Amino acid sequence: MSSSISRRDILKILTGITCLLFFPLESIGKTINKGCDKCKKAWYDLCKSATKIYQFRYIEPVDSLPKVFIYGDSISIAYTEYVRASLEDKACVFRLHENGTSSNEFIQKMETMKKAMFQPYLSQGWNFEWDVIHFNVGLHDLKYVVDGKLDKQNGKQVSSLETYENNLRSIINYLKTNYPKAKLIFATTTPVPEGESGRNAGDAKQYNDIALKVMKDHKDIIINDLYKFSIPVLEQFAICPGNVHYKAKGSRMQGIEVASVISNVIGVKPNICPTTDTIRERSKQYKRNLNKQ
């Protein structure tokens, strides 16, 4: 029997290698989307802020890592990068493509993102399931608005306590129906300081009380009490008196806390979170790179 390889055998080997190169790779039933230009383009079409704001850049799914999704308002936007840095190489941390605003818009925004990014809506799009969904609504529900501006003297409150409760129940039903395998983490609404122009200081607690009442009917949902955690943080690191937003050091503290809760759920040890200067420099570099394109 000859030990030499015939030309026919060589052709068979080359054909097999070619098939492996072009056949869609799968891992535990999940398609690897690494380097998916179509997905990236879909994201930039969906998320107009992606070309301006570091937190909204496209995140490449890594098949071997847990997929974590953050839904929230501008408070969450500010702490997103600290969560990502704390879980770098431990999880892929995605966020909603825009500000989450009130509970009235939760389901619609989730559907918009799903249909823009995921298969079968986007051919060759994302084809994975969320392992963790960390979600929050409330700060935009309790605000008073007139003609699109904050005004607690003349404005109308976006969502009554009753509406907020009903919306939360609908949101939970939606999440459990559409993402049955995801571990759900609900973050309580962060505090409102005295003197806020469109919100009453005591309302955050009232809305959180309603939320916690709803969560009692869902023992499987983990509570991340960012309200309690953030009270001293806001006192020390508010952007200015009467403002619900935080300086970078405050957002970093919140991001570390959120990452800690998520890491417990997915069973990893978080990284030491980079400084605010490091995250700020990464943001600047991202913008510089965009300007070069």
Side-chain angles (χ1 to χ4, degrees):
M1 186 174 181
S2 174
S3 60
S4 62
I5 301 175
S6 68
R7 183 174 180 178
R8 179 178 294 179
D9 291 334
I10 292 173
L11 288 173
K12 285 181 179 180
I13 293 170
L14 291 174
T15 301
I17 293 172
T18 302
C19 289
L20 284 173
L21 289 173
F22 289 97
F23 191 82
L25 295 175
E26 294 188 357
S27 175
I28 320 178
K30 297 180 181 181
T31 301
I32 296 174
N33 296 101
K34 187 175 182 180
C36 177
D37 291 337
K38 192 169 186 178
C39 300
K40 192 171 185 178
K41 182 181 183 304
W43 179 260
Y44 281 94
D45 288 342
L46 171 68
C47 180
K48 303 307 178 185
S49 296
T51 58
K52 305 173 186 176
I53 302 174
Y54 185 52
Q55 291 93 325
F56 287 107
R57 71 191 183 282
Y58 178 72
I59 300 298
E60 193 80 67
V62 178
D63 193 68
S64 60
L65 297 179
K67 311 300 185 297
V68 175
F69 180 70
I70 295 176
Y71 187 109
D73 50 34
S74 57
I75 306 301
S76 77
I77 295 172
Y79 65 61
T80 289
E81 283 313 309
Y82 300 104
V83 179
R84 284 177 175 156
S86 297
L87 296 176
E88 188 173 2
D89 297 327
K90 307 284 179 79
C92 293
V93 180
F94 302 77
R95 68 155 294 107
L96 186 68
H97 58 282
E98 59 184 336
N99 190 316
T101 64
S102 75
S103 62
N104 299 302
E105 301 181 60
F106 185 101
I107 294 174
Q108 173 260 314
K109 289 177 184 287
M110 288 290 290
E111 283 292 289
T112 296
M113 193 185 75
K114 180 175 74 174
K115 292 178 179 178
M117 298 303 303
F118 282 88
Q119 299 181 34
Y121 309 100
L122 177 64
S123 175
Q124 300 176 19
W126 288 347
N127 188 29
F128 57 80
E129 297 183 39
W130 298 121
D131 294 289
V132 177
I133 298 176
H134 182 283
F135 68 106
N136 162 259
V137 284
L139 206 54
H140 283 261
D141 289 275
L142 56 81
K143 69 182 182 182
Y144 290 81
V145 179
V146 60
D147 295 329
K149 296 181 180 180
L150 293 175
D151 187 340
K152 62 184 177 186
Q153 277 73 42
N154 305 303
K156 180 180 179 182
Q157 197 165 37
V158 173
S159 304
S160 66
L161 287 169
E162 181 181 4
T163 297
Y164 183 62
E165 178 176 351
N166 291 335
N167 286 348
L168 276 180
R169 295 189 185 280
S170 296
I171 287 168
I172 292 169
N173 180 64
Y174 169 83
L175 291 175
K176 289 189 172 184
T177 299
N178 288 272
Y179 309 101
K181 295 182 179 181
K183 296 288 187 181
L184 302 181
I185 303 173
F186 177 76
T188 52
T189 298
T190 48
V192 176
E194 294 289 347
E196 215 276 352
S197 60
R199 299 172 175 93
N200 292 320
D203 282 355
K205 185 179 185 308
Q206 290 187 52
Y207 279 69
N208 283 328
D209 287 344
I210 290 294
L212 293 175
K213 184 184 82 169
V214 171
M215 298 306 152
K216 286 182 179 179
D217 295 332
H218 301 276
K219 303 295 186 182
D220 55 321
I221 297 180
I222 298 161
I223 305 298
N224 180 7
D225 197 353
L226 272 187
Y227 171 77
K228 182 178 180 180
F229 177 84
S230 298
I231 289 174
V233 179
L234 186 64
E235 290 176 356
Q236 186 175 2
F237 294 112
I239 285 181
C240 62
N243 197 303
V244 296
H245 298 96
Y246 301 77
K247 294 177 182 177
K249 288 184 179 180
S251 295
R252 179 179 181 271
M253 292 172 68
Q254 290 175 319
I256 292 172
E257 179 67 10
V258 171
S260 176
V261 175
I262 293 171
S263 66
N264 287 335
V265 173
I266 61 177
V268 301
K269 182 179 179 180
N271 307 313
I272 296 174
C273 186
T275 65
T276 56
D277 288 339
T278 298
I279 297 299
R280 189 179 293 111
E281 181 53 37
R282 290 180 185 178
S283 178
K284 290 180 180 178
Q285 185 60 51
Y286 177 71
K287 292 177 182 178
R288 286 194 290 266
N289 291 340
L290 287 174
N291 292 333
K292 292 178 182 178
Q293 295 177 4

